[in-house]
């Protein structure tokens, strides 16, 4: 597996000194890096209906155009000053998904996806801010990257309705990236990458939910479960002389009533496990036409050279309390002692070989867990 060549840093130091604090360029972080996709393959993805893509081009200086995929052809963009960006390329290219491997020193739940861009000379999306942490890996070609520090005096610009940019900033990093170089950009740090020659860049993006998303999804969860429908208990009411007042202690009581839901560990953990494993982009999920029975699973395992693979980009995690549970793509499986080891393998999303599977499936609950995950289409047989 690929590993980051941290040079004089360690992942621990990186987290302490840079993560969410300072941008960093690691030259030659991946010595001998080879691109997991080609520009042609990326263009092919951008022709697909279900894959989100856009082309940002500049006809004249400061005259920006944004086109959304799917694209039928690319000739009209010419040889320079445009970039093609394909969201969640890792959902369609397992080799691109493998780029997430070196970042597993950060837990699954924070990792979102890998966006890939192909830029012609002069191409880029312009100076802008992102709300997320991102590692940008330079593949083929070279690009000039400038990164600045958060600065409230920067002006928000909208050179096109679909393109947010910021005014020029003072860079603290201004370097030319070459294949294998890795740039880390914390949230809200202005940055700008301009291609020098035809260039592929891989943006490993992280997710950090905001309160709007969390509260709204939590409310949906309560509705789904028909939970939280009991009403506020008010049996200790004392008389008031100022009925027009909503008193602080009553507000505190309502808040505590709401907080009870968050403090319900079973409910909250089930909600958050489901929420954080939902994918924000389409996945290549193929549900088997006829469900795989336990007998069928046994037959399959008696054949040779089979691997069980997770759908590329599918999100999984395990929550151990109050009782262990596996979450894949928003769905939950209750675990028991016997299924914990298999569930851990599944949550690590690494291919499973026939012999590994066989060692698990001699135990019925494991065989059931596996067929269930296969029948959802979240894992498949290769
Ligand atoms: C890219 O152009 O490859 C990344 C765009 C960005 O900075 O978010
Ligand atoms: Co960005």
């Amino acid at each position: 597996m690929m590993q980051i060549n941290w040079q004089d840093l360690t992942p621990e130091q990186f987290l302490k000194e840079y993560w969410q604090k300072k941008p960093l360029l690691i030259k030659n972080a991946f010595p001998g890096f080879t691109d997991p996709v080609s520009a042609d393959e990326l263009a092919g993805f951008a022709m697909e209906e279900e894959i989100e893509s856009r082309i940002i081009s500049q006809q004249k200086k400061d005259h920006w155009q944004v086109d959304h995929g799917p694209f039928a052809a690319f000739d009209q963009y010419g040889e320079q000053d445009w970039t093609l960006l394909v969201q969640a390329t890792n959902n369609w290219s397992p080799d691109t998904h493998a780029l997430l491997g070196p970042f597993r020193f950060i837990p699954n739940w924070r990792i979102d996806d890998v966006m890939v861009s192909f830029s012609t000379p002069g191409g880029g999306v312009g100076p802008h801010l992102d709300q997320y942490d991102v590692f940008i890996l330079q593949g083929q070609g070279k690009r000039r990257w400038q990164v600045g520090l958060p600065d409230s005096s920067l002006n928000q610009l909208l050179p096109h309705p679909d393109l947010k940019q910021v005014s020029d900033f003072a860079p603290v990093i201004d370097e030319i990236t070459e294949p294998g170089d890795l740039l880390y950009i914390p949230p809200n740090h202005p940055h700008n990458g301009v291609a020098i020659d035809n260039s592929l860049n891989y943006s490993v993006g992280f997710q950090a939910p905001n309160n709007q998303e969390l509260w709204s999804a939590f409310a949906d969860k309560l509705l789904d479960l028909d939970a939280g429908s009991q009403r506020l208990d008010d049996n200790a009411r004392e008389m008031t002389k100022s009925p027009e007042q909503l008193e602080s202690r009553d507000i505190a009581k309502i808040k505590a009533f709401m907080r009870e839901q968050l403090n319900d560990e079973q409910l909250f953990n089930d909600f958050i496990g489901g929420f954080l494993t939902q994918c924000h982009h389409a996945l290549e999920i193929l549900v088997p036409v006829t469900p795989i029975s336990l007998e069928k699973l046994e037959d399959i395992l008696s054949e040779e050279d089979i691997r069980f693979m997770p759908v590329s980009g599918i999100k999984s995690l395990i929550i151990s309390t109050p009782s262990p549970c596996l979450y894949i793509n928003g769905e939950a499986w209750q675990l028991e002692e016997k299924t914990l080891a298999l569930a851990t393998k599944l949550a690590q999303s690494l291919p499973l070989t026939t012999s590994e599977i066989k060692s698990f499936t001699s135990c019925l609950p494991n065989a059931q867990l596996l067929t269930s995950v296969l029948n959802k289409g979240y894992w498949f047989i290769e």
Side-chain angles (χ1 to χ4, degrees):
M1 197 180 73
M2 272 170 61
Q3 282 193 332
I4 298 173
N5 168 25
W6 287 103
Q7 291 143 37
D8 38 10
L9 270 183
T10 62
E12 289 84 357
Q13 281 171 323
F14 168 78
L15 289 175
K16 206 160 163 245
E17 289 167 35
Y18 294 94
W19 179 248
Q20 301 231 308
K21 300 169 198 82
K22 276 195 284 192
L24 173 69
L25 174 65
I26 307 177
K27 291 293 287 176
N28 206 25
F30 297 101
F33 179 77
T34 48
D35 287 281
V37 285
S38 64
D40 281 346
E41 279 173 282
L42 199 67
F45 290 143
M47 295 174 136
E48 302 284 342
E49 186 77 50
E50 65 271 45
I51 305 182
E52 225 179 289
S53 62
R54 69 210 143 105
I55 288 180
I56 296 172
S57 55
Q58 256 181 303
Q59 283 88 5
K60 286 184 260 135
K61 195 174 157 18
D62 294 330
H63 184 170
W64 296 82
Q65 180 61 37
V66 181
D67 298 315
H68 295 274
F71 295 94
F74 302 90
D75 325 330
Q76 68 269 35
Y77 295 102
E79 308 265 288
Q80 61 182 57
D81 300 331
W82 61 274
T83 180
L84 163 69
L85 302 110
V86 179
Q87 298 296 327
T89 301
N90 60 312
N91 291 9
W92 308 93
S93 157
D95 289 342
T96 302
H97 189 68
L99 293 181
L100 293 175
F103 299 94
R104 295 293 175 195
F105 64 96
I106 295 163
N108 284 9
W109 74 266
R110 283 289 271 117
I111 293 182
D112 196 8
D113 60 16
V114 186
M115 184 197 73
V116 184
S117 68
F118 168 73
S119 316
T120 55
V125 304
H128 68 282
L129 309 173
D130 297 307
Q131 292 181 10
Y132 307 101
D133 302 88
V134 65
F135 284 97
I136 300 180
L137 170 56
Q138 178 69 50
Q140 74 167 64
K142 289 195 182 109
R143 208 162 179 195
R144 179 180 180 189
W145 278 101
Q146 294 178 306
V147 187
L149 298 179
D151 177 354
S152 55
S153 73
L154 293 180
N155 295 321
Q156 303 289 332
L157 309 172
L158 206 60
H160 180 282
D162 295 340
L163 191 63
K164 285 194 185 132
Q165 293 185 345
V166 290
S167 50
D168 287 342
F169 57 87
V172 292
I173 290 178
D174 186 352
E175 300 243 18
I176 290 170
T177 52
E178 298 169 302
D181 292 352
L182 184 66
L183 182 62
Y184 166 69
I185 305 172
N188 300 312
H189 283 56
H191 54 282
N192 189 21
V194 181
I196 291 174
D197 39 35
N198 284 351
S199 173
L200 283 168
N201 283 83
Y202 303 85
S203 293
V204 173
F206 290 78
Q207 62 171 344
N210 67 23
N211 262 303
Q212 292 181 350
E213 294 159 357
L214 286 168
W215 287 102
S216 136
F218 189 58
D220 288 344
K221 180 77 182 176
L222 293 181
L223 290 170
D224 283 352
L225 296 176
D226 196 21
S229 58
Q230 69 283 12
R231 292 188 183 273
L232 180 77
D233 178 353
D234 191 31
N235 74 56
R237 175 70 41 209
E238 285 168 19
M239 73 156 286
T240 180
K241 290 206 173 95
S242 24
E244 75 287 358
Q245 292 282 334
L246 169 57
E247 310 233 13
S248 301
R249 61 180 170 178
D250 276 343
I251 292 178
K253 193 169 175 175
I254 295 169
K255 252 193 216 169
F257 179 61
M258 288 180 75
R259 208 175 284 125
E260 265 173 40
Q261 301 290 307
L262 295 181
N263 290 345
D264 179 336
E265 196 185 12
Q266 178 85 50
L267 174 69
F268 189 82
N269 291 8
D270 189 41
F271 152 68
I272 201 70
F275 178 80
L276 292 172
T277 53
Q278 270 157 28
C279 204
H280 309 120
H281 302 280
L283 289 159
E284 201 171 14
I285 292 175
L286 296 171
V287 177
V289 189
T290 41
I292 297 165
S293 62
L294 291 172
E295 295 73 43
K296 180 86 195 290
L297 181 67
E298 233 177 273
D299 286 352
I300 294 169
L301 289 169
S302 63
E303 290 170 37
E304 271 166 49
D305 279 343
I306 278 170
R307 289 205 309 171
F308 286 60
M309 302 285 292
V311 163
S312 196
I314 202 147
K315 297 193 197 306
S316 318
L317 55 82
I318 288 182
I319 298 183
S320 302
T321 56
S323 58
C325 218
L326 166 68
Y327 294 87
I328 306 179
N329 201 35
E331 276 180 73
W333 282 265
Q334 294 293 334
L335 302 175
E336 46 185 293
E337 195 63 39
K338 287 180 197 147
T339 49
L340 209 51
L342 174 61
T344 303
K345 286 269 180 197
L346 294 174
Q348 287 167 348
S349 291
L350 296 171
L352 290 170
T353 62
T354 314
S355 65
E356 278 177 297
I357 302 269
K358 274 186 179 161
S359 71
F360 284 118
T361 52
S362 54
C363 158
L364 182 64
N366 279 323
Q368 285 166 332
L369 172 58
L370 202 61
T371 47
S372 170
V373 166
L374 290 169
N375 286 330
K376 294 273 179 192
Y378 297 160
W379 280 64
F380 63 93
I381 298 160
E382 192 183 65

